Amino acid sequence: MSGVTGERASAGLDLPSLQDRRARYGVFFATYLYQGLVAGFSLTALANHLAALGLPASEVGLHFAIAGLPWTLQPILWGPLVDRASRARMGRRRVWSVVAILGGQAALGGLLLLPGPQALGALGLVFLLHSVFAALLDTACDRLVMDHVPEAELGRTSACTRVGFVVGTSLGAALFGWTLAAYGFRESVQLLLLLSACAALPALLVREAPGDALLSLGRHPLVAAAVRPLPFRRFLRRLRLGLSRPRALRLIGLCFAIDGALAAFELRFGVDLVQGYGWDAAALSRVQAGLALLGGTAGALAVGLWADRAGPLPALRHLCRASATAFLIAAGLVAAGLAGTAGPAILGLTNVLPGLLVVALVPALMRASRGRVGAATEFEVYMATMNLGSVTGGAVSGALAPVLPLSLVAGLCGLVLAGCAVLAGRPHLILRPAREPQRPSP
């Protein structure tokens, strides 16, 4: 479709843009619902289905780990591309989200070409390709948030994306877990393609700005010459200088510490419940899923509103304090020998409140990033640091299991979160002062 045709089509349909608040929330919710549906299908329903077919867990885990590589490389893969984007007829950032959705759907369509889910090599390659496009979609969506959401609404927007992902993941895991067993792989993939296409519609139909084309890969004739991407070397130099500032380094440390502490306890406690206290693995999964759904919906919305009214750092500080207290209580219960009988209470203490930390943390990270040359890239670096902290925490937890008792691990996690609360209580150490001007994004 030509640029003119796309503009006429969008004008004729009177499609909304991201300047409309309801449209913004709809687009961001649906985008993360889309990602959650795919994650629920692949990481939960399909992984459990493959285990039921008798495939070794080590092989299944290896192929899904390979598929997750693009998320680890996300800041390098897509951050500079989205940040340095020139103005397109269909929107400077939206063009990349549309390309990502279309590419992701085409990748998922490749599942229909497989002889079955047992073809792990081909299955892993399909999900690897989809992850490439999903990481691009995530980067473009983050940059759209920073470009178009007022600072006073970042908390609610963070909650909106969290709710979308949690609902999508829960729905995908439950629905496709049933369809894979009842109808088979091919039918489940067809349903996934249908539902994910429906979830992607808002991002495809809502324009970035009034007057943008609905679908066009051409450049905007009025502003293309005025908006030129920063030379790549200069872009990298500015990004490096921004991330090497003391405030950014402290914020990176905060991101790593929070997710590292949570992962260090979560993995160890789950293994102990199943292997040491005789819990049923399926029952444990149901409890964890229920807690995640509770915290990721009603809890996330409450924290989002709180962060917008009080500011992201006060909300983050209080949540870190409460989470630290919860972990110290859990440490006492474990030390008293009550880990098995008080398992549900400990799971609630160490899952619900800590799981809400990201809802308050994301607005703070966006405030720290927006206004900079490499805003999306810097933000993705922070998010990648959180992922690295989670991986490191899980690895360290397993390695230290023979040495450190579980109660001590919980106590150390509480102390780490208490330190994070202290840092979050000193905004000048991690965020630019409000009076410091922010340069407009390129």
Side-chain angles (χ1 to χ4, degrees):
M1 179 183 295
S2 69
V4 174
T5 304
E7 288 168 0
R8 287 176 179 171
S10 60
L13 293 172
D14 195 24
L15 296 173
S17 73
L18 292 180
Q19 292 186 5
D20 184 298
R21 174 192 274 185
R22 288 179 296 180
R24 284 201 304 268
Y25 285 124
V27 167
F28 298 138
F29 173 84
T31 299
Y32 282 86
L33 177 70
Y34 170 87
Q35 296 196 34
L37 282 170
V38 179
F41 173 83
S42 61
L43 300 179
T44 303
L46 185 57
N48 292 338
H49 182 67
L50 292 172
L53 293 176
L55 277 74
S58 57
E59 292 187 21
V60 176
L62 174 62
H63 288 286
F64 280 108
I66 293 174
L69 283 177
W71 293 99
T72 306
L73 303 174
Q74 185 177 0
I76 301 172
L77 280 175
W78 301 123
L81 180 68
V82 174
D83 276 327
R84 299 173 63 248
S86 298
R87 176 74 182 190
R89 286 183 180 271
M90 58 189 295
R92 189 176 176 190
R93 320 293 181 188
R94 178 177 169 267
V95 62
W96 293 114
S97 67
V98 172
V99 167
I101 289 171
L102 297 179
Q105 287 298 95
L108 290 177
L111 293 172
L112 296 174
L113 303 177
L114 303 184
Q118 298 92 332
L120 283 182
L123 188 70
L125 288 177
V126 169
F127 282 116
L128 173 64
L129 180 60
H130 178 269
S131 293
V132 170
F133 289 107
L136 172 59
L137 176 62
D138 191 63
T139 304
C141 186
D142 289 337
R143 188 62 201 243
L144 285 170
V145 171
M146 283 186 274
D147 284 355
H148 297 283
V149 176
E151 189 166 316
E153 295 182 22
L154 286 176
R156 278 165 284 184
T157 303
S158 173
C160 180
T161 59
R162 178 68 174 172
V163 171
F165 186 78
V166 169
V167 170
T169 303
S170 302
L171 176 62
L175 176 62
F176 295 115
W178 169 63
T179 60
L180 282 166
Y183 297 100
F185 177 72
R186 185 176 183 84
E187 291 75 10
S188 298
V189 170
Q190 291 172 342
L191 182 59
L192 172 65
L193 287 169
L194 174 63
L195 293 180
S196 58
C198 292
L201 279 178
L204 296 176
L205 296 178
V206 175
R207 296 169 296 165
E208 185 170 349
D212 284 349
L214 178 63
L215 187 61
S216 172
L217 296 180
R219 293 189 176 186
H220 199 292
L222 299 180
V223 296
V227 181
R228 294 182 178 179
L230 199 67
F232 189 63
R233 289 186 179 180
R234 190 177 174 190
F235 171 86
L236 290 180
R237 184 166 60 251
R238 288 195 182 183
L239 179 65
R240 180 181 58 81
L241 289 174
L243 287 172
S244 62
R245 291 188 172 116
R247 289 193 191 104
L249 293 176
R250 294 188 195 105
L251 200 51
I252 287 173
L254 179 70
C255 293
F256 183 89
I258 287 177
D259 264 35
L262 299 181
F265 179 81
E266 181 181 3
L267 178 65
R268 172 80 178 278
F269 187 53
V271 171
D272 278 15
L273 284 178
V274 174
Q275 297 181 356
Y277 297 97
W279 275 49
D280 177 67
L284 175 60
S285 297
R286 287 194 295 270
V287 172
Q288 290 173 325
L291 292 171
L293 187 61
L294 174 64
T297 52
L301 291 172
V303 172
L305 290 170
W306 179 18
D308 283 340
R309 291 178 181 175
L313 289 186
L316 180 63
R317 182 177 72 252
H318 289 298
L319 282 172
C320 283
R321 285 178 179 173
S323 299
T325 302
F327 269 97
L328 293 177
I329 293 173
L333 292 172
V334 174
L338 301 175
T341 55
I346 295 173
L347 284 171
L349 286 168
T350 58
N351 278 265
V352 176
L353 280 176
L356 295 173
L357 288 171
V358 67
V359 180
L361 182 57
V362 164
L365 299 178
M366 286 196 167
R367 180 181 162 188
S369 305
R370 70 191 309 176
R372 295 191 183 280
V373 168
T377 308
E378 183 172 332
F379 178 78
E380 299 306 338
V381 167
Y382 293 134
M383 300 304 289
T385 301
M386 294 178 68
N387 293 333
L388 178 61
S390 182
V391 172
T392 304
V396 169
S397 174
L400 296 180
V403 181
L404 293 180
L406 184 60
S407 59
L408 183 56
V409 173
L412 289 174
C413 291
L415 293 177
V416 169
L417 291 170
C420 293
V422 172
L423 184 58
R426 291 162 172 75
H428 64 283
L429 293 179
I430 52 179
L431 293 181
R432 287 170 289 177
R435 64 180 180 275
E436 184 177 327
Q438 295 185 347
R439 292 184 298 274
S441 302

